[in-house]
Amino acid sequence: MRANRQTLPTSSPTAVRNLGILAHVDAGKTTLTERILFATGAIHKRGEVHHGTTVTDYDAQERDRGITIFAAAVSCAWGGHRVNLIDTPGHVDFSDEVERSLRVLDGAVAVFDAVAGVEPQSETVWRQADRHGVPRIAFVNKLDRAGADLDTAVASIRRRLGVVPLVVQLPIGAEDSFSGVVDLLAMRALHWRADSDGYQAGPVPEPLRKEAARRRRLLEETVAELHADALEEFCSASALTERTLVRALRELTLRGDGVVVLCGSAYRNRGIEPLLDAVLAYLPSPADMPPVRGLVGDGVEEERAPDPTEPFTALAFKVTATTTGRLTYLRVYAGTLSKGATVVDAATGRTERVGRILRVQADRHEEREEAMAGDIVAVIGLKTARAGTTLCAPGAALVLEPPSVAEPVVSVAVEALRSTDTGRLSAALARLVEEDPSLVVRSDAESGQTVLSGMGELHLEVAVEKIRSGHGVEVVVGRPQVSYRETVVRGVGGLVHRHVKQDGGAGQFAHVVLDVEPLEEPRFEFRSTVVGGRVPQEYARAVEAGCLDALAEGPLGGFPVTGLRVTLTDGATHSKDSSEMAFRAAGRFGLREALRLSTMELLEPLVEVTVTVPQDGVGGVLGDLAARRGRVSASTTEAGTAVITAAVPLAELFGYASRLRGRTQGRGTFTTRPAGLAPVPASVAASVAAALPAR
């Protein structure tokens, strides 16, 4: 069978698939995306990650480092459908790119290494997809590698992710001899040859017929256990037809009750076409998704169906600056957007004009006259829209929930090498934050330094390199610093704070009584137990806003405060001088006073480190982790290779990559993922405090 190549259809939302490619770094996401583009005719020459020639890894840093850093959108056609793909990063430092992508996707393909199975970042992105309710299918990649085993990878999916894998293929051959798969639904063999673009279908090879029949039976039994209609047919006929299986697999996928598992080798171009067929068969179209919900004002919710005739509603999820102008990426949820149309920022009421609409092919663009419900496009002409902005038709504003933004954990001080470049550095930093909301820029009031904060060392390295190469500004970078947090260990009750200010004209009066107590979770909670109208509800909300202001700087070292509950228990007002501004000030100064009287504790971010080393290097690695205050939680050995998992303070991991290479003669590797916050030992807390500028 030849590849099903065709032009992009212009059709209804039912003929669209918006999906992301998710995985751990080096699992083969970008290679798979490249092969999909080739199989669908979107490109005519296969690129390679190691050659720096792939479509989606088009940034110079991505090609130099050999990893995906920025989520890239591409479109292709298959089976009369348009497939919008977003190739997402696999490195933990860029998980915020994954979060923004998942917010606008309808489905995803999770890619797993057939040797490693579920790796740490694989699990992280899977949980992110869980939070967004994104249906997924799984692709076990790299079956041509030494040590590849589909069953082992599937077992890790079941064990690590807690899902029911529904395996629909059986590999033909193993490792170097992997040449195709048996389709367990149609009970046919699909063979790929090195000199052919497509596959050849034929009967199941004789040596595999018994095993294929056993696995087909196991698939039928598993589906029957999960799907009521399939169970009824299975009980009456003792088997399931291919049509019933396909329908049941789709419904189980959409409900999240099972995950269809396919396999192949993206690098060898094997398994791509069946994966595309599975995307169309099992993953939802925009028309299958429920109406999008948003606020129209005063907390009133409204729905918009994924229909081109509804009022235009779209969410901006990414902003980039290119040579063609400022690109704003949109997911259109309802209505139709035409070139030259006027749109409204639903939150601010500001109007803007759409100059051009582009179908994006990574760094290449195809101009279009309109975009309709279900489309993912980029537009030129918007000047103020940011990631998370809702754009609507005039007179039909609806504010959608924006993508969540993770708090940065690592900071560096940056300054221009030449004083004449200070203004250009400020402009470059503003552009960086606009493109990547997970970066935060602030000015340190004590030192006067400009501080850039992000999700990890690599994240900040990439950002600094963009300043140098993209904006031509040479910068001096300080040593990375960890973003500590402060929390309440023992609070105070009944703290009275009166805010009284009289300097002519209307005065300010607010009287509040606050209880402060610790929370086990790293979050802030506010509640009011005032009765009898002593503090009106609008003033109570102002007190909450003031408390949030106070959480920005704690009493120990000026770090953000988390893990506490504040209760407004009593208060008083003045008939003329009380206002929301006065009660906000009372909340801010009152909580600051309460925190100074409370017993506070410093928290530091932990990361879960998974180190893979030869067995003869285990001793040195364990000793080094112990010296870095690491707590080992698991250690396994297989085929001469040890995998060690430990929780390590982020502050102790700076420079760990070079240290690990040195201890293992370059054979050791490691991956990380966030593991929450933990109290800082007293001895370390003292050194942190000593390093702070005088307050």
Side-chain angles (χ1 to χ4, degrees):
M1 175 180 172
R2 301 290 296 176
N4 184 2
R5 301 183 179 189
Q6 52 193 286
T7 58
L8 284 173
T10 55
S11 55
S12 69
T14 58
V16 175
R17 296 293 185 274
N18 294 317
L19 68 143
I21 308 295
L22 312 174
H24 186 87
V25 66
D26 285 338
K29 297 181 307 301
T30 301
T31 301
L32 176 60
T33 304
E34 192 78 7
R35 298 308 188 262
I36 288 175
L37 294 177
F38 181 77
T40 57
I43 60 175
H44 302 285
K45 182 180 179 182
R46 294 187 289 262
E48 305 294 350
V49 173
H50 52 277
H51 291 158
T53 55
T54 59
V55 171
T56 53
D57 282 357
Y58 58 86
D59 186 85
Q61 290 200 70
E62 293 179 312
R63 294 182 170 180
D64 290 343
R65 298 174 187 270
I67 62 172
T68 300
I69 296 174
F70 311 106
V74 292
S75 290
C76 56
W78 187 259
H81 291 66
R82 183 172 69 253
V83 180
N84 296 321
L85 275 172
I86 296 184
D87 178 22
T88 65
H91 196 285
V92 64
D93 282 18
F94 308 104
S95 58
D96 208 61
E97 284 272 327
V98 182
E99 186 75 18
R100 290 196 297 275
S101 299
L102 284 170
R103 174 64 180 81
V104 299
L105 293 173
D106 302 323
V109 175
V111 184
F112 301 96
D113 189 315
V115 177
V118 177
E119 298 173 271
Q121 189 63 7
S122 305
E123 188 172 351
T124 298
V125 296
W126 188 273
R127 302 305 177 204
Q128 286 178 283
D130 279 342
R131 290 198 304 273
H132 289 278
V134 176
R136 282 140 282 169
I137 61 176
F139 183 73
V140 178
N141 191 26
K142 301 188 179 183
L143 277 176
D144 58 319
R145 281 186 61 193
D149 186 271
L150 175 63
D151 291 339
T152 301
V154 169
S156 73
I157 291 173
R158 180 184 291 106
R159 183 180 67 256
R160 295 285 298 274
L161 303 180
V163 298
V164 179
L166 304 167
V167 184
V168 298
Q169 292 177 341
L170 169 66
I172 299 175
E175 300 181 353
D176 285 343
S177 63
F178 171 68
S179 61
V181 298
V182 174
D183 179 353
L184 296 178
L185 275 68
M187 291 305 285
R188 61 175 183 163
L190 310 179
H191 295 275
W192 284 266
R193 297 198 310 267
D195 59 349
S196 173
D197 289 344
Y199 62 81
Q200 298 294 326
V204 178
E206 180 63 35
L208 291 177
R209 287 183 182 176
K210 185 176 180 180
E211 179 63 15
R214 185 187 72 82
R215 291 184 181 240
R216 165 62 182 254
R217 183 68 175 181
L218 179 61
L219 176 63
E220 292 177 355
E221 292 173 352
T222 305
V223 169
E225 289 176 359
L226 300 172
H227 192 277
D229 291 343
L231 177 60
E232 184 176 344
E233 180 177 318
F234 187 79
C235 290
S236 62
S238 298
L240 297 178
T241 64
E242 180 182 350
R243 182 177 179 180
T244 299
L245 272 175
V246 170
R247 186 178 69 252
L249 289 172
R250 175 178 173 80
E251 292 177 7
L252 292 172
T253 299
L254 297 184
R255 297 201 310 249
D257 292 338
V259 177
V260 174
V261 180
L262 301 96
C263 60
S265 168
Y267 180 68
R268 303 288 181 189
N269 214 42
R270 294 166 188 167
I272 308 305
E273 296 90 349
L275 176 62
L276 284 165
D277 292 337
V279 165
L280 302 189
Y282 307 126
L283 292 180
S285 72
D288 296 319
M289 304 303 291
V292 66
R293 299 178 65 87
L295 300 177
V296 294
D298 295 328
V300 178
E301 283 196 346
E302 187 177 295
E303 292 184 346
R304 297 268 166 87
D307 187 331
T309 63
E310 287 273 318
F312 170 72
T313 308
L315 183 70
F317 66 95
K318 184 178 175 68
V319 176
T320 61
T322 69
T323 55
T324 59
R326 184 178 184 269
L327 282 182
T328 305
Y329 289 76
L330 304 180
R331 163 64 194 268
V332 183
Y333 283 100
T336 301
L337 176 67
S338 300
K339 179 180 176 180
T342 297
V343 296
V344 175
D345 182 331
T348 65
R350 185 183 294 112
T351 60
E352 298 202 65
R353 182 179 177 275
V354 175
R356 298 164 63 194
I357 301 175
L358 306 175
R359 178 84 66 208
V360 181
Q361 288 291 98
D363 59 339
R364 300 191 299 275
H365 314 122
E366 172 193 340
E367 193 153 349
R368 300 184 59 81
E369 292 300 315
E370 64 177 19
M372 64 178 62
D375 275 340
I376 292 178
V377 295
V379 298
I380 293 179
L382 305 184
K383 295 180 173 59
T384 60
R386 301 289 187 267
T389 297
T390 305
L391 300 172
C392 296
L398 180 76
V399 181
L400 303 179
E401 182 183 356
S404 61
V405 179
E407 291 189 7
V409 295
V410 179
S411 304
V412 292
V414 294
E415 62 177 293
L417 183 63
R418 296 180 291 273
S419 58
T420 54
D421 285 340
T422 301
R424 293 174 63 201
L425 174 60
S426 297
L429 289 170
R431 179 65 58 83
L432 278 181
V433 173
E434 180 182 357
E435 294 184 358
D436 185 353
S438 61
L439 289 170
V440 175
V441 176
R442 63 179 177 85
S443 179
D444 189 289
E446 301 292 340
S447 65
Q449 292 179 312
T450 298
V451 178
L452 177 64
S453 303
M455 303 304 297
E457 279 187 282
L458 181 59
H459 191 202
L460 295 179
E461 284 179 21
V462 168
V464 170
E465 184 56 35
K466 285 189 73 174
I467 295 173
R468 289 173 175 150
S469 60
H471 299 272
V473 180
E474 285 299 321
V475 294
V476 178
V477 182
R479 187 180 185 277
Q481 299 292 324
V482 169
S483 294
Y484 292 95
R485 295 290 185 269
E486 298 180 26
T487 191
V488 175
V489 177
R490 187 171 61 253
V492 297
L495 183 131
V496 179
H497 183 82
R498 290 169 58 89
H499 177 73
V500 181
K501 188 175 182 181
Q502 192 73 48
D503 52 4
Q508 294 184 26
F509 177 88
H511 176 96
V512 296
V513 181
L514 302 176
D515 287 350
V516 177
E517 56 187 320
L519 280 180
E520 292 185 3
E521 300 178 9
R523 60 186 177 87
F524 169 69
E525 183 179 300
F526 179 88
R527 63 184 182 182
S528 173
T529 60
V530 180
V531 295
R534 292 177 61 81
V535 179
Q537 188 61 36
E538 62 270 22
Y539 290 169
R541 287 195 294 266
V543 174
E544 180 180 6
C547 290
L548 288 171
D549 295 339
L551 297 180
E553 292 187 1
L556 293 181
F559 301 112
V561 181
T562 188
L564 73 159
R565 177 190 292 119
V566 176
T567 304
L568 176 64
T569 61
D570 200 0
T573 62
H574 187 278
S575 58
K576 294 183 179 180
D577 293 345
S578 289
S579 64
E580 291 186 22
M581 183 174 65
F583 272 88
R584 181 165 184 161
R588 180 169 66 253
F589 294 121
L591 182 55
R592 284 182 182 176
E593 182 181 351
L595 293 177
R596 286 194 295 269
L597 297 174
S598 300
T599 302
M600 304 293 292
E601 185 175 54
L602 202 61
L603 301 176
E604 62 181 346
L606 293 181
V607 292
E608 182 183 273
V609 183
T610 302
V611 187
T612 304
V613 295
Q615 194 169 357
D616 57 8
V618 170
V621 169
L622 289 174
D624 189 43
L625 288 174
R628 296 173 185 270
R629 297 191 284 125
R631 297 191 303 275
V632 176
S633 58
S635 179
T636 60
T637 303
E638 186 174 341
T641 300
V643 179
I644 303 165
T645 303
V648 184
L650 178 61
E652 302 290 347
L653 279 182
F654 297 137
Y656 183 61
S658 57
R659 183 64 176 268
L660 179 63
R661 285 194 296 268
R663 284 185 172 274
T664 61
Q665 290 77 50
R667 296 178 294 167
T669 60
F670 78 101
T671 59
T672 64
R673 64 171 178 172
L677 297 167
V680 177
S683 58
V684 178
S687 63
V688 171
L692 294 172
R695 293 179 61 82

